[in-house]
């Protein structure tokens, strides 16, 4: 089923049983030690839970890789981990579990500012949220955008993206091929893999999305909010200044997937990509069977 803005993709892999489906991702990358922002991460998580209603999240992943019910005791454990651990990893899933329409993932990266770790200056912590497209349609894009800004407000992010994505566990063999075929048709569908991206994103930006959060370093090098605004002329594109010398670029009222087969090339996304090109994250390293040449083509889909 396809609507005017994005496809509805929902199917279950025959052998593995995992779901592949479209959804909305809200990802924030931070170049700061977790211990310096634990309270901020907790505040953002609380805002999300309040927005999607308590009970919407029903499972959590433990340190051994097993899923358990997210009851009151498990919530208390999750909060202790976020507030007390030096490098926590938190993964919370939808109460329905399959598919995960709603989910939270946080990775507190241990190697940030570690002088003994090569490439530590490119590591980042990441906080990621999922929403269903049904939630987007029920609430409307204005309220979802407002929620994204509320989630971002406590966080010391360097960059962030909010937009459509094909939600699937790409580390499972066979899944990547299904993701690849669809994302090569719909340029506005992102491929989420926050653990991979957090290893070397630094202060760069993952690419244009419906909402693109531009951090202080990149915004300064662009010449500030007014300079960025002057370079974006597509109808419906807005640039809003945020505290801390940061900004958010919004590409239209709704997120869009585009469709190469129908000639829907998302010109506003292409314009933003050209402006941000010197600061865009490249070098995606997705696992398993995503062809390297095609992966490069996908990550430059708005530039070529």
């Amino acid at each position: 089923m396809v609507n005017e803005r994005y496809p509805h993709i929902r199917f279950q892999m025959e052998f593995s049983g995992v779901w592949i489906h479209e959804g909305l991702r809200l990802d924030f990358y931070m170049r700061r030690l977790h211990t310096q922002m634990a309270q901020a991460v907790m505040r953002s998580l609380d805002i999300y839970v309040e927005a999607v209603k308590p009970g919407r999240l029903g499972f959590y992943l433990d340190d051994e890789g097993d899923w358990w019910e997210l009851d009151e005791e498990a919530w208390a454990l999750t909060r202790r981990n976020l507030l007390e651990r030096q490098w926590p990893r938190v993964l919370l899933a939808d109460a329905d579990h399959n598919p995960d329409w709603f989910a939270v993932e946080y990775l507190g990266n241990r190697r940030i500012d570690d002088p003994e770790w090569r490439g530590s200056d490119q590591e980042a912590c990441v906080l990621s949220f999922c929403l269903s497209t049904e939630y987007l349609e029920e609430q409307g894009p204005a309220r979802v955008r407002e929620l994204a800004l509320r989630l971002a407000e406590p966080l010391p992010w360097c960059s962030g993206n909010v937009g459509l994505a094909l939600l699937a566990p790409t580390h499972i063999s066979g899944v990547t091929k299904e993701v690849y075929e669809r994302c090569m048709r719909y340029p506005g569908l992102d491929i989420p893999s926050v653990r991979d991206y957090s290893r070397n994103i630094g202060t760069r930006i993952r690419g244009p999305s419906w909402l693109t959060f531009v951090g202080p370093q990149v915004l300064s090098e662009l010449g500030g909010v007014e300079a960025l605004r002057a370079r974006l002329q597509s109808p419906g594109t807005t640039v809003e200044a945020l505290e801390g010398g940061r900004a958010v670029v919004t590409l239209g009222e709704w997120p869009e997937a585009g469709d190469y087969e129908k000639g829907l090339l998302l010109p506003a996304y292409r314009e933003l990509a050209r402006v941000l090109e010197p600061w865009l994250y490249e070098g995606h390293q997705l696992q398993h069977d995503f062809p390297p040449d095609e992966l490069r083509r996908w990550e430059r889909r708005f530039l070529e």
Side-chain angles (χ1 to χ4, degrees), residues 85-102:
R85 282 191 176 183
Q86 193 170 3
W87 308 300
R89 187 197 177 201
V90 171
L91 187 54
L92 310 177
D94 195 302
D96 295 331
H97 204 48
N98 260 328
D100 289 335
W101 302 121
F102 297 85

Side-chain angles (χ1 to χ4, degrees), residues 20-56:
I20 297 176
H21 58 93
E22 96 290 346
L24 204 67
R25 292 279 299 204
L26 305 88
D27 301 333
F28 302 97
Y29 295 91
M30 296 157 285
R31 285 276 307 148
R32 190 173 295 185
L33 294 173
H34 170 72
T35 52
Q36 298 173 355
M37 58 180 187
Q39 292 286 351
V41 172
M42 179 61 69
R43 175 59 183 149
S44 191
L45 173 59
D46 286 340
I47 291 170
Y48 174 81
V49 171
E50 179 182 2
V52 302
K53 306 305 180 186
R56 181 74 266 187

Side-chain angles (χ1 to χ4, degrees), residues 222 271-282 300 303:
L222 278 163
E271 179 184 57
L272 180 57
R274 289 192 295 270
V275 170
L276 295 178
E277 183 174 6
W279 301 276
L280 289 181
Y281 171 79
E282 293 185 356
R300 293 186 61 81
L303 295 168

Side-chain angles (χ1 to χ4, degrees), residues 64-97:
E64 305 301 321
D66 296 319
W67 288 100
W68 298 91
E69 182 181 354
L70 187 61
D71 55 18
E72 290 186 9
E73 182 178 351
W75 262 119
L77 175 62
T78 298
R79 294 178 182 278
R80 285 199 303 273
N81 287 343
L82 279 173
L83 294 174
E84 299 174 7
R85 282 191 176 183
Q86 193 170 3
W87 308 300
R89 187 197 177 201
V90 171
L91 187 54
L92 310 177
D94 195 302
D96 295 331
H97 204 48

